[in-house]
Amino acid sequence: MTRVHSKSWKLLAAVLGTCVILSACGTSKSAEPQEELPVEQTSSPAPSVEAANGAGEGAMITPDNFMDTLMKGSKEDIYKQMSPELQGIISLDEFKTTADSFMEGIASWEKVTEFKMNNLIESSWKDQTGTKGIQASFAEDHQIAGLLIQPLERHEETDKALTKTAFQFPLKGEWFVFWGGNDVLSNYHYAHETQRYALDIIRTQDAASYEDKGTDNENYYAFGEPIYAAADGRVVEVKNDIPDNTPGVMNAEEPAGNVVVIDHGNGEHSITAHLKQGSAAVKKGDNVQQGDLIGHLGNSGNSSEAHLHFQVSDGPDIFTSRSLQIRWADQSQKLTRGNSFQGLPD
């Protein structure tokens, strides 16, 4: 990565945002989003709190005092707790300048998400206008492993335009929304029209998406779980021969990996990506009913770990069609970042 030379907070967002955890499931081979999923942290060990802040100097920065410190306290204390990777991207002076510029005119912040996943605490905040957002990732030793500072653009017209089809969630049991929602803090896909309303879903136990060391796909609770048709329709595309990745190693040449695309009529196509190699239970031309088995969750394509990527688009091509806001048959649960929810009955 190249060092930041601009003093613009927009560049800070663009560069630091690439280091939140680990780039994962991507989309297009060019300019589409890169997913970030909660794989095992691989950055350098954090310095001790004393070393990070200087002996007896400054205060430990935590998710609880991060925003107060950013607004009214010492930005140097924040910088000293950043990971070596983040410090290698931006200097202290650049961080101070860009953060000060971003904070101009902001009177207050509201915490919108906080959850622990795979030894990281993920926290995010919006300003009082809802037009600026900050996301920070804290390791257990309080090292700041990731930071995203970004304006929050809204697309209200398409946010309100729900699909005509009412979809059921295509998995059974309890699941966790890692990316989902109507802004880039809760859903990195939102910045891109082709995947604006896509979801990335993982299965968790005890605030982790994997057991043991997470080095094998079978360690991940989502891997191999059955996927069902979210609504009646006709299968228009199946890809089934892409190998599953070793966790953390991604296949950018086949971004969607193994995929099933179903035409549900009304110009609405569900796209289910990153299936397990060889697991597709349908073929092109098949008619399916809601609840029919279509495959199993995998880690194929530009994906860092086993998860469900699900979206509905106005065409069958994930890279050229527009993503649509999904009308869910069950409106009682929020499929937004940080929330657990119940899928189909077991």
Side-chain angles (χ1 to χ4, degrees):
M1 297 180 184
T2 57
R3 181 178 174 181
V4 176
H5 296 288
S6 169
K7 305 301 181 182
S8 164
W9 57 262
K10 293 182 180 179
L11 188 55
L12 178 67
V15 177
L16 293 192
T18 66
C19 301
V20 173
I21 305 174
L22 176 68
S23 285
C25 141
T27 52
S28 150
K29 296 179 182 178
S30 55
E32 290 300 320
Q34 291 289 309
E35 287 189 9
E36 296 156 355
L37 290 169
V39 298
E40 184 176 17
Q41 189 182 4
T42 57
S43 59
S44 303
S48 66
V49 171
E50 291 76 18
N53 290 306
E57 297 179 7
M60 183 193 304
I61 308 303
T62 69
D64 291 334
N65 65 23
F66 176 81
M67 289 308 306
D68 282 342
T69 306
L70 190 62
M71 288 188 70
K72 299 175 288 189
S74 169
K75 294 179 180 61
E76 185 171 357
D77 285 343
I78 294 176
Y79 187 82
K80 287 178 178 177
Q81 276 185 225
M82 286 185 186
S83 69
E85 289 79 7
L86 294 189
Q87 290 182 358
I89 293 170
I90 189 168
S91 70
L92 173 59
D93 287 342
E94 289 168 337
F95 172 64
K96 287 180 177 179
T97 301
T98 52
D100 285 341
S101 173
F102 185 80
M103 303 295 285
E104 287 180 2
I106 298 178
S108 62
W109 291 90
E110 176 188 4
K111 184 176 284 186
V112 291
T113 60
E114 182 168 296
F115 61 89
K116 184 177 180 180
M117 187 61 57
N118 295 350
N119 302 318
L120 287 174
I121 297 175
E122 302 281 342
S123 300
S124 62
W125 301 262
K126 290 182 183 178
D127 77 327
Q128 75 278 3
T129 68
T131 61
K132 293 183 178 181
I134 293 179
Q135 190 175 92
S137 303
F138 286 80
E140 290 185 327
D141 53 14
H142 301 290
Q143 183 184 60
I144 299 172
L147 181 63
L148 175 67
I149 297 176
Q150 190 161 327
L152 301 178
E153 183 180 4
R154 295 297 300 272
H155 301 276
E156 294 186 4
E157 183 175 349
T158 55
D159 288 352
K160 298 175 182 177
L162 300 179
T163 58
K164 294 181 180 179
T165 305
F167 291 87
Q168 285 186 347
F169 190 75
L171 300 170
K172 291 183 178 181
E174 184 174 347
W175 296 85
F176 182 87
V177 183
F178 194 78
W179 291 117
N182 289 354
D183 61 57
V184 294
L185 280 186
S186 57
N187 192 358
Y188 84 96
H189 301 98
Y190 189 79
H192 304 268
E193 187 178 35
T194 58
Q195 297 189 46
R196 182 153 293 148
Y197 305 106
L199 295 166
D200 285 341
I201 306 295
I202 59 176
R203 172 156 272 176
T204 63
Q205 293 184 25
D206 300 323
S209 62
Y210 61 86
E211 60 184 353
D212 199 15
K213 296 181 180 180
T215 54
D216 299 318
N217 284 315
E218 289 74 13
N219 295 150
Y220 289 79
Y221 301 119
F223 189 74
E225 287 293 312
I227 310 169
Y228 303 92
D232 298 352
R234 181 173 59 87
V235 178
V236 294
E237 181 184 350
V238 175
K239 185 172 287 187
N240 198 31
D241 60 354
I242 307 301
D244 288 286
N245 305 319
T246 298
V249 180
M250 295 160 285
N251 180 358
E253 295 301 313
E254 294 284 352
N258 300 307
V259 65
V260 171
V261 181
I262 301 173
D263 183 352
H264 302 282
N266 302 312
E268 298 169 354
H269 300 74
S270 65
I271 300 173
T272 306
H274 309 312
L275 274 66
K276 181 179 179 181
Q277 183 182 21
S279 74
V282 293
K283 63 182 183 299
K284 186 174 180 179
D286 284 352
N287 291 314
V288 295
Q289 293 184 323
Q290 191 174 66
D292 286 350
L293 180 70
I294 64 171
H296 292 80
L297 281 178
N299 186 29
S300 60
N302 208 29
S303 168
S304 63
E305 70 170 81
H307 71 285
L308 171 72
H309 175 105
F310 183 83
Q311 68 180 80
V312 177
S313 298
D314 65 2
D317 190 328
I318 192 173
F319 306 127
T320 60
S321 304
R322 290 183 307 155
S323 177
L324 304 174
Q325 181 78 289
I326 299 171
R327 181 191 305 276
W328 295 105
D330 180 1
Q331 296 289 320
S332 66
Q333 303 184 98
K334 287 188 175 181
L335 272 67
T336 54
R337 179 171 166 84
N339 288 326
S340 295
F341 66 97
Q342 288 292 326
L344 299 170
D346 286 322

